[in-house]
Amino acid sequence: MPGFTIDKERLQDKTKLFLRVNYTTSIISILFGILCYFLLGITEVVPFPLMAFGILNLINLQYFKIHKKILPTFNFSSILGLISSFIVTLYSGGIHSPFIFMIPIVAFGGFIIINSSRYGKIYLNVIPVLIILIFSQTIPELKITENVIPESSSAVFGLVSVLFSVFILGNTFGKSLLKTYNALYTSKKVMAIQVHEKENLLKEVHHRVKNNLQTVSSLLSLQSRNTESGPMKGLLKGTQNRVIAMAMVHEMLYMRNDISHIEYNSYVQELSEYLIRSIKGIDNNVDLKIDIPDIKLGIDTAIPLGLLINEALTNALKYGIEGEEKGQIHIKLQKDSEKENCYILEIGDNGIGFPETINYKNTKSLGLKLIHNLTRQLRGTIERDASKKGTNYIVKFQEIKQQLAPIE
């Protein structure tokens, strides 16, 4: 499994980092203890936890080669490091000791190396406790330790302590953060490439779907030409328009940068002008009014809504506005201020209209049935606006976030 392989590789990297840092730290700690005892004249307390840590930690690391269990090895090293750092800090100046930085470094280093373990968080919580205990030694009533570093050696001891801290800091935080940064940078770069490839693939899919729909439209057009005037010819032309309404959505998706949403104003404008030219001709008396703000809809909403608009406009152009007479078609789409992700579509004409007694249940008109089925598909409601002349609808619907079922 890919995820398991990645986690295993990360654990191996952390184990190698932990072992390498601890081997070097143990040797330096022993050398630091020897330096304190023989060269700096520090013969009390301080050299012994330094050398004890180095020797015991080396034994611990050697024992790891036998049992191969990183967690007990890590815990022993961390606890041993915290105890040694605490003792050295107490007897080298307490809260003013330059060695005090080793306490948070040891704890933070452990947290970074094995941050997936609950032990890492425990070590972080130990830091303030140890610091408070060290600070307590500045209170005369609680003081039980004293600074054993000779005045003549304090500067060199401070220098070596800081260099020791910098070394540990660089080899734990530095390398770990550098690896993390490189991993994040590589991952981000790979993801950017993958996203770009997927966007291109999706654009290609939409392009091919549009081409296939246009092919279907062309076949329907050829069939219509070879069909005598009558119901069948009108049915073929209506089906062709529906196919084109869907093809326009896919065309807009692959031609723009946003491949998940389309600007509905331009889509409705293009679809409406096509239907007017197709049904009424280039020279016509139809006044088209579109009022749609900056609204973008996903494909699962755009296609059924586009088909609904297609049916409403087709009925208006065929039956509402008769022949060459002047007429007006209006389309208004706005967000519903009362409901989130909901919209209100007002669409209609000022033509002759049809009786209130006729509805999608008792009519043989495929257009009316499709309008109501598409409204259901958009999880909306539809009602006629009797206050206006002609045929006018008010459709309230919500944006669909998932793939829709086929129209029944």
Side-chain angles (χ1 to χ4, degrees):
M1 295 176 64
F4 177 78
T5 303
I6 292 173
D7 290 340
K8 189 175 180 180
E9 290 177 354
R10 288 177 179 173
L11 181 59
Q12 289 176 347
D13 290 341
K14 287 183 176 182
T15 301
K16 290 178 182 178
L17 175 63
F18 168 74
L19 294 175
R20 183 172 64 251
V21 171
N22 269 266
Y23 270 118
T24 310
T25 302
S26 299
I27 295 172
I28 293 177
S29 183
I30 293 172
L31 294 175
F32 192 10
I34 294 173
L35 174 69
C36 290
Y37 192 87
F38 291 101
L39 297 179
L40 299 180
I42 307 171
T43 58
E44 296 182 56
V45 186
V46 171
F48 305 110
L50 288 171
M51 288 187 287
F53 166 78
I55 294 170
L56 292 176
N57 200 35
L58 286 174
I59 295 172
N60 177 43
L61 297 175
Q62 292 300 314
Y63 187 55
F64 169 75
K65 295 180 179 179
I66 299 175
H67 59 73
K68 300 294 183 181
K69 296 178 180 179
I70 185 60
L71 197 56
T73 304
F74 160 75
N75 285 328
F76 184 84
S77 293
S78 297
I79 294 171
L80 190 62
L82 285 173
I83 293 173
S84 301
S85 300
F86 180 70
I87 294 173
V88 173
T89 301
L90 276 178
Y91 287 90
S92 61
I95 200 70
H96 303 293
S97 172
F99 206 81
I100 196 172
F101 298 108
M102 286 300 300
I103 295 176
I105 288 174
V106 171
F108 274 114
F111 177 77
I112 287 177
I113 293 173
I114 309 187
N115 59 355
S116 59
S117 169
R118 65 181 183 276
Y119 297 107
K121 296 180 180 179
I122 292 175
Y123 295 132
L124 289 181
N125 294 328
V126 165
I127 295 175
V129 176
L130 295 180
I131 298 298
I132 290 172
L133 289 174
I134 292 171
F135 178 77
S136 68
Q137 295 304 293
T138 61
I139 303 173
E141 292 80 4
L142 300 176
K143 188 173 183 179
I144 59 174
T145 62
E146 60 180 14
N147 187 354
V148 299
I149 307 296
E151 185 66 29
S152 59
S153 304
S154 60
V156 178
F157 176 82
L159 173 64
V160 178
S161 297
V162 171
L163 291 176
F164 194 12
S165 301
V166 170
F167 169 79
I168 302 298
L169 186 66
N171 280 272
T172 53
F173 290 92
K175 290 185 178 180
S176 181
L177 290 175
L178 184 60
K179 285 187 177 181
T180 302
Y181 170 80
N182 289 334
L184 287 173
Y185 177 79
T186 304
S187 177
K188 183 179 179 181
K189 189 175 181 180
V190 171
M191 288 180 65
I193 294 173
Q194 291 176 344
V195 168
H196 182 68
E197 290 176 348
K198 287 181 179 179
E199 287 180 350
N200 288 337
L201 180 60
L202 282 173
K203 285 186 177 182
E204 180 64 22
V205 169
H206 286 302
H207 182 59
R208 295 194 178 201
V209 170
K210 188 268 294 187
N211 287 344
N212 290 337
L213 289 173
Q214 282 189 335
T215 301
V216 174
S217 174
S218 299
L219 292 173
L220 290 171
S221 179
L222 288 172
Q223 186 66 52
S224 176
R225 292 174 190 171
N226 295 326
T227 303
E228 296 181 0
S229 299
M232 183 58 68
K233 190 176 184 70
L235 180 63
L236 289 172
K237 185 61 178 176
T239 303
Q240 181 187 4
N241 289 340
R242 295 179 189 115
V243 171
I244 289 175
M246 291 187 289
M248 285 182 180
V249 173
H250 292 281
E251 182 179 23
M252 288 189 170
L253 285 173
Y254 86 80
M255 289 182 66
R256 289 166 172 78
N257 292 328
D258 188 351
I259 58 174
S260 60
H261 294 78
I262 67 170
E263 296 174 359
Y264 223 65
N265 189 353
S266 57
Y267 169 72
V268 172
Q269 186 80 36
E270 187 174 337
L271 175 62
S272 302
E273 290 175 353
Y274 162 77
L275 290 173
I276 293 172
R277 289 195 307 270
S278 176
I279 298 172
K280 293 295 187 180
I282 297 176
D283 297 323
N284 57 77
N285 294 317
V286 178
D287 181 22
L288 176 64
K289 292 188 175 182
I290 296 177
D291 181 11
I292 301 177
D294 185 18
I295 292 177
K296 293 184 178 181
L297 297 175
I299 186 172
D300 290 334
T301 305
I303 287 181
L305 184 60
L307 289 173
L308 189 154
I309 294 172
N310 174 81
E311 297 304 321
L313 291 184
T314 300
N315 287 347
L317 293 167
K318 278 186 174 182
Y319 312 114
I321 303 173
E322 294 182 313
E324 302 297 326
E325 293 185 4
K326 289 185 178 182
Q328 185 183 90
I329 290 176
H330 71 274
I331 305 170
K332 182 179 180 180
L333 180 64
Q334 61 185 341
K335 287 188 176 182
D336 191 338
S337 59
E338 298 179 357
K339 297 180 181 179
E340 188 178 359
N341 293 326
C342 290
Y343 298 86
I344 300 174
L345 171 69
E346 298 178 29
I347 184 170
D349 62 84
N350 63 349
I352 61 175
F354 62 90
E356 293 290 335
T357 55
I358 298 177
N359 57 52
Y360 73 98
K361 293 181 180 179
N362 59 24
T363 184
K364 294 182 180 180
S365 170
L366 177 61
L368 282 180
K369 291 182 182 292
L370 279 175
I371 288 173
H372 283 268
N373 282 342
L374 289 162
T375 301
R376 276 194 312 158
Q377 191 170 337
L378 289 165
R379 300 172 188 171
T381 59
I382 183 171
E383 60 181 27
R384 286 186 66 179
D385 186 0
S387 65
K388 298 178 180 178
K389 180 187 175 182
T391 303
N392 298 275
Y393 296 104
I394 299 176
V395 182
K396 296 181 179 180
F397 65 95
Q398 57 181 301
E399 187 171 7
I400 306 301
K401 298 295 185 181
Q402 57 186 7
Q403 187 67 35
L404 298 172
I407 302 174
E408 298 178 357

